[in-house]
Amino acid sequence: MLKKKEKYIVAVVGATGAVGNEMIATLTQRQFPVASLRLFASERSVGKSLRFRDTDLPVEALDKNSFTGIDIALFSAGGERSKIWAPVAAASGCVVIDNSSQWRMDPEVPLVVPEVNEHDLTWHKGIIANPNCSTIQMVVVLKPIHDAAQIKRVVVTTFQSVSGTGKKAMDELMQQTADVLNFRPVIKNVYPHQIAFNCLPHIDSFLENGYTKEEMKMVNETKKILGDDSVAVTATTVRVPVFRCHSESLNIETIKKITANEVRAVLSAAPGIIVYDAPEKNIYPLAIDVADKDETYIGRVREDDSVENGINMWIVSDNLRKGAALNAIQIAEKLVESAGQ
Ligand code: NAP
Ligand code: 3JN
């Protein structure tokens, strides 16, 4: 449980990464009440410093005493690090908000998107999980529709930017694009195939059922966040040569009939969503416009006549912001709001 304070000692674990960088920027932008900030990464980064507000802070390596005195630790250094260090941090008395998949499906760990299931923060035991980026933007949109018309089934296809894979993948897309345009051979390090000028129907590793781990994260995390196992989800996740923002095509089947106009009205009134839907004027959400925005943008809302009660739409959100850093910091803000004496 977080104790009420005027300002909090915060740690970012994975501070040098794509998500870590965004966390540092988001703490500043949202004027989170930070008393002091500690930055952690691997041994490789010791000696580097990163700017927070107007100060350069040193990057430290983790050890068993790293979390002493820290109130809130934002983890984004991958599942292996979270597995080892999140329990160490929680045992030191700090609240961990973890961005990896390590704890998401643990029944003892709440998996939270504040617009959807803030109530689940009440039962945390020191670790709170941030969902996968593709899941976060989808559940922000599904929740108001589920409340209005009860969702039976969702078919989702994602178009995920390379920043979801981290800094090295962003460098790879940049390099490959320059190499293709300059007739140089393309070098692949991060992805098994060229990502420049291509689409890869493959995110994370393949499972025995033929789906990828990313696809099954979307299926399982959605049920846990909505608190409803009856919502059937099937996903196809695709990596596209875009630097920032994940786009998703959603086909939603509901138990109760809901019209496209009703969906627009319900979503316009919902938190964290912007309805941006005037296709006759070429207005619909685009990754390049939604980058650096906090909200999930929705457009192309239309009725799907191929099923009894169907709605189709296109949704776009910044995967590093709402998909990772912002959602984690919104969780921290909710903890601060409800902190006890
Ligand atoms: P990234 O750009 O590759 O950054 C990885 C970070 O982890 C770096 O700061 C790295 O430090 C640090 N790290 C690596 N090994 C470490 C160690 N032994 N001890 C401490 N720190 C270590 O990756 P990213 O895109 O920021 O993603 C990081 C993690 O966040 C992912 O693995 C994933 O679990 C999670 N993530 C979640 C979402 C989401 O959907 N919520 C989205 C993207 C990522 P060095 O610079 O020193 O190597
Ligand atoms: O690929 C994306 O667009 C999102 C990637 C998320 C990610 C990357 C590496 C490891 C995760 C995640 O958040 O699920 C993980 C992981 O922790 O499993």
Side-chain angles (χ1 to χ4, degrees):
M1 191 55 76
L2 193 69
K3 290 219 178 73
K4 187 108 203 143
K5 291 184 176 177
E6 209 171 298
K7 289 186 173 183
Y8 297 84
I9 304 177
V10 178
V12 175
V13 179
T16 52
V19 177
N21 267 288
E22 197 63 29
M23 287 193 173
I24 297 168
T26 307
L27 287 168
T28 304
Q29 283 159 8
R30 293 182 73 85
Q31 299 182 306
F32 191 82
V34 178
S36 61
L37 183 66
R38 301 270 304 277
L39 302 177
F40 295 98
S42 77
E43 298 277 356
R44 295 179 291 277
S45 295
V46 174
K48 288 185 188 165
S49 60
L50 294 169
R51 201 148 186 88
F52 173 61
R53 297 184 178 153
D54 48 8
T55 316
D56 289 322
L57 299 176
V59 178
E60 305 171 62
L62 288 167
D63 69 43
K64 62 181 187 337
N65 300 317
S66 294
F67 298 98
T68 309
I70 289 173
D71 300 307
I72 300 168
L74 305 168
F75 272 61
S76 65
E80 283 170 47
R81 265 69 63 187
S82 295
K83 186 176 181 182
I84 299 167
W85 293 106
V88 174
S92 304
C94 87
V95 181
V96 173
I97 303 169
D98 181 42
N99 261 283
S100 81
S101 59
Q102 177 60 40
W103 303 101
R104 288 182 192 147
M105 297 313 295
D106 186 324
E108 298 289 301
V109 174
L111 179 65
V112 177
V113 177
E115 293 90 337
V116 179
N117 63 334
E118 183 188 338
H119 57 270
D120 282 324
L121 288 174
T122 53
W123 54 269
H124 83 81
K125 299 179 174 69
I127 303 176
I128 298 158
N130 212 36
N132 177 269
C133 41
S134 305
T135 310
I136 293 177
Q137 69 184 72
M138 181 168 78
V139 294
V140 163
V141 173
L142 293 186
K143 170 69 175 160
I145 299 173
H146 194 44
D147 289 346
Q150 206 186 333
I151 295 173
K152 186 165 134 194
R153 179 169 187 248
V154 181
V155 180
V156 54
T157 306
T158 69
F159 304 74
Q160 296 182 223
S161 67
V162 295
S163 54
T165 319
K167 261 178 138 171
K168 286 185 183 141
M170 296 166 84
D171 295 342
E172 182 149 309
L173 174 57
M174 186 86 81
Q175 185 63 49
Q176 287 185 356
T177 304
D179 288 341
V180 171
L181 293 175
N182 287 287
F183 307 101
R184 292 191 296 255
V186 163
I187 297 162
K188 304 177 296 244
N189 286 316
V190 176
Y191 298 114
H193 302 281
Q194 177 183 317
I195 181 65
F197 307 97
N198 209 359
C199 298
L200 313 179
H202 175 183
I203 297 185
D204 208 332
S205 42
F206 282 100
L207 298 166
E208 269 184 15
N209 65 0
Y211 287 79
T212 63
K213 275 193 186 171
E214 183 81 353
E215 288 159 353
M216 293 315 295
K217 284 173 192 171
M218 293 191 78
V219 173
N220 297 323
E221 292 176 18
T222 299
K223 292 170 194 272
K224 179 167 175 177
I225 298 163
L226 293 177
D228 190 345
D229 277 348
S230 75
V231 177
V233 180
T234 187
T236 303
T237 57
V238 181
R239 186 75 63 196
V240 296
V242 166
F243 282 98
R244 207 163 158 138
C245 288
H246 290 356
S247 305
E248 296 178 1
S249 157
L250 300 185
N251 314 127
I252 302 166
E253 259 186 273
T254 55
I255 303 274
K256 235 179 92 186
K257 173 80 188 158
I258 185 164
T259 65
N261 278 339
E262 285 165 345
V263 167
R264 280 188 212 96
V266 160
L267 294 180
S268 296
I273 292 175
I274 293 193
V275 175
Y276 193 68
D277 194 20
E280 67 288 356
K281 293 185 221 152
N282 298 335
I283 287 177
Y284 30 72
L286 296 173
I288 55 171
D289 298 330
V290 175
D292 287 324
K293 302 282 196 311
D294 286 349
E295 295 84 3
T296 297
Y297 282 64
I298 72 136
R300 300 288 324 277
V301 179
R302 60 212 191 273
E303 282 150 44
D304 173 3
D305 297 332
S306 70
V307 289
E308 202 180 335
N309 298 322
I311 288 287
N312 292 342
M313 69 181 74
W314 175 253
I315 72 171
V316 183
S317 189
D318 186 325
N319 54 300
L320 294 179
R321 281 187 78 81
K322 184 57 184 166
L326 173 65
N327 196 70
I329 290 165
Q330 285 174 320
I331 290 173
E333 289 170 350
K334 295 292 177 195
L335 294 175
V336 165
E337 268 172 42
S338 62
Q341 297 305 320

